[in-house]
Amino acid sequence: MELFITELSKYAITLLMAFYAYESFAVFRYREESLRGGIYARQNFLMLFIHFSCFMVICFETGDMSYLFFYAFQQMVLFATAVLFHVIYPRANRLIINNMCMLLSIGFVILTRLSYEKAVKQFVIVAVSLAIAIVIPFFVHKLKFLKSLTWIYALAGSAALLVVLVLGKATHGSKISYSVAGVTFQPSEFVKIIFVFFIASALCEAADFYRVALTAAVAGIHVVILVVSKDLGSALIFFVVYVLMVFVATKEYRYLLAGIGGGAVSALAACLLFRHVQVRVQAWLDPWSEIDKGGYQITQSLFAISSGGWFGLGLFEGTPQSIPFVEADFIFSAIAEEMGIAFAMCLILVCLSCFLMFMDISLKLNDRFYQLIAFGLGVTYIFQVFLTIGGGSKFIPLTGVTLPLISYGGSSVLTTLVMFSIVEGLCMIRNDEEKEGQQTEKRQKRGSLKTKQAGSAEESNGMENVQERRKRNPKGKGALGGKQ
Amino acid sequence: MFRNGEKEIQKAKGHWGENNDYGKKRQSPTEHGSKQNSGNRNRPIMTVTYLFVAIFLGMMLYICQYFIVHRQELLNNSYNGRQQLFMSKNQRGKIYARGGEVLAQSDIGDNGSEVREYPYGNMFAHAVGYATHGRAGVEALGNYYLIQSNAPLEEKATMKAVGAKYHGDNIYTTLDVKMQEVAYKAMGAYKGAILVSETSTGKILAMVSKPDFDPNEIEGIWDSLVTDKESGILLNRTTQGMYPPGSTFKIITALEYIRENPETYQDYHFQCSGSYTDGTDRINCYHGQNHGDEDFTKAFAKSCNAAFAHIGLQLDKGKFHNTLEGLLFNKELPLHILYNKSRIQIGRDSTNGEMMQAAIGQGTTGMSPIHLNMITNAIANGGYVMKPYLIERVENTAGTVIKQFTPSGKTDLMTKQEADILKELMHSVVEEGTASRLKGLSYTAAGKTGSAEYSEVKEESHAWFTGFAPAQEPEISVTVIIEGAGSGGEYAVPVAKRIFDAYFGVS
């Protein structure tokens, strides 16, 4: 009986996840958040089923029903997150919250399977991080002076990285963490956010050559410190985020080309100068010739990815622990092995859907500063996803970064949750802009054309209102929620 | 967002054109009103978005493709612990001959460990292979399937209830017990290799390599097999053996001559006096036979070394090199079992002596029997060869087909005209040449013999035959090499005849 449930649930979980991934793109069919309610509700149900099915399988496979308690706690926290965000910030974007909870629950499942202790630790960190994250949209929305802290960001970011370089302890050859009172932090994670704020505030008013050069210098400091700390993954993320943000701020392709060119030259230089870069590149080009040395991690990861088949070996049926650091850098491979390639592909799609929503919000923001922040955070997120999944599957050389929201690691998950919350705050700012815009429009109409009908329609609430507004504004740029 | 994105970019273009300088602070967006939001469409953001979407789709495609292409070899890698994982869960599946006879199966011993049984013992030693101390043959080829279980859920549940292993999936091979038995016995006590295949599909019906071993005893004899470098018992000579092709290579020399002289090759004439000399290099006919006045067909049928040495000197070295590459010399064969690449050295700087040696299949040329069999199949098929294969299908214990293998990997080695000419030439070898022991039977056959000299001092040679039957509508091909037996016509052709007889039901 248990065998039937565990075997069949493999297919069921994959199918539900495919539906979820579909819904997370179906959202973009509707231009207004108010029309997406059905999709979000379905997503919530799918999340619930997937999360529950996975834990049921874990219970049957281990014969230990007490995992259900752990599940219950997770479900409560995720449920509370979804509800609280919706209640406190009714005009925030629900796709981001849903995807965030979905990814967190997948992370809980696979971490529980890999190491119960680490999963519990991660769960506590996530719970605390969510409590922090939930107030962030409010501050982002209200604190207007964030735009003017340019040099504070620059100093804080560089200082944080420098402190680690000088005082931090080395883990596996790279100095990336720093312990305070028994809690280990990985400052490069938090600095990612500060860095995006720095670039955005430096370039939002003017993006002339002088300012680009100035930010380049600061960005260079960040990247160099990270390279010296041997944290190549983070260095790459900072570099790419910088280049792409400059590109968006200036709208000039030559900066993009210059960035790509500079990146290629420095990558080549790094390859020639640093032994540990050479090792990584060699392991990427031909991991098989040194399978017991430099190529060990990547080949073990490839073994895991390709052993599960489309539907996976099933939770607790594979041997993902054979990959070193599986719970941090190679969590994707563990998911592919036990939950299947199909599930893993859907997971990538959900990550991509988050990114698209970030970009959507960025595109709609009028204020340059906020637009650049939404864009920068989106790129930070998706590029990290790309580095970890691409690295683990030999698509690109391995850099050793975490899969946001899923991998084990407190700093990583806290940073990502804060990032997602900031974007929610930006989403509210965008709604303000929209509302303001409409009021101005309304005033102008009243004043010059005296078309009162349109105005009165605007003030009433309900379906006709929405239809009316869409008629007038076919591109769907009407206000969300209709709370005026 | 993305549906209208393009249109809006178009609209927004004009706006940017006028106000390209980001530094100039735009008028407050509120003054423009919400309709002007479209003016805020940021093309770089769209570019970056599309870029990442493209990269991600590429990455997803790459992961899926990589997994599909490499999953078998990855699972078989000795560094992959999942083999042990599967083997601890599933009992290794059975291997069947095409007629349903069991070639290998696992029983659970008294102490709970698996014991692999090979009912036919030595007969299928190299074809079926072994599964301890590494793997070979079908045991290696089908390991991926044998160690996994797609048994029905009910069966698995029953097994799980009693704590037994699940039944691994079973493999049905293309091997034919009758053909294998005839070939195995025909080889007798000689060393050598026999390969029998279905010409149009590439199915391998029999694969014999001697000396052999009893796979049931592999555990006990392993150490002596490994230390004994001399006899090469573990070597599957059909695919790993590297032999001088001898006169069988004249098929290829003839093909090249026809290619270079499509109109005039039939006008070829040669007066054989038992040898041919060029400078200091001298090529003798087998046992110094004098073939007299010959045309192209007779030179081929009688396997005249002197005439082919003469032909070899007329070939364009560069073109010959290309033809050999096209026939997969010095190249990977489309095989998944262990094999060695056939090797030949012909190039623009080859000397006359080397060309004469190469033309009659001597010198440094080395060829595996399976490669020669593939070329034979290409001639039989009118120019193309199918990838040789041993596994017909994989079934679970309930008989549901998990994976069906079909003829694949069609490769053109020559044109239809060239194949037809060679077919005629090979038929003449039977009718009026060195393979006359296949003449006047209830079926027609075509082929080429070879007596490959492998030693400078002794007058010893490997006996070769490669050919197919029936000559006009070929069904099967047979490639035989018997080490050190003597001439192909005397020793290899009778072996091939017994195999053809068995196939066509002649007692």
Side-chain angles (χ1 to χ4, degrees), chain A residues 382-447:
Chain A
I382 203 69
F383 190 64
Q384 182 162 348
V385 172
F386 171 67
L387 281 187
T388 180
I389 295 178
S393 58
K394 208 173 84 71
F395 187 60
I396 53 169
L398 200 60
T399 42
V401 292
T402 53
L403 183 56
L405 299 180
I406 297 179
S407 285
Y408 175 70
S411 304
S412 166
V413 77
L414 172 58
T415 305
T416 315
L417 288 175
V418 169
M419 274 168 52
F420 276 53
S421 307
I422 291 172
V423 175
E424 288 293 30
L426 299 179
C427 195
M428 285 153 60
I429 290 170
R430 190 200 102 66
N431 288 338
D432 288 351
E433 286 179 352
E434 191 112 325
K435 206 160 64 181
E436 240 179 285
Q438 248 162 13
Q439 276 164 357
T440 321
E441 190 182 4
K442 226 185 304 175
R443 268 199 302 276
Q444 282 171 340
K445 274 185 184 163
R446 278 204 192 111

Side-chain angles (χ1 to χ4, degrees), chain B residues 116-152:
Chain B
R116 196 74 171 155
E117 271 177 32
Y118 301 91
Y120 288 88
N122 295 38
M123 194 191 286
F124 285 92
H126 289 285
V128 172
Y130 48 87
T132 45
H133 297 289
R135 281 179 287 268
V138 175
E139 293 274 33
L141 206 57
N143 186 53
Y144 180 82
Y145 302 104
L146 292 167
I147 64 175
Q148 301 205 50
S149 175
N150 283 295

Side-chain angles (χ1 to χ4, degrees), chain B residues 91-110:
Chain B
Q91 180 182 335
R92 195 173 181 81
K94 294 178 185 176
I95 298 174
Y96 292 99
R98 76 192 317 202
E101 301 90 342
V102 175
L103 300 181
Q105 61 185 0
S106 286
D107 280 329
I108 302 293
D110 298 331

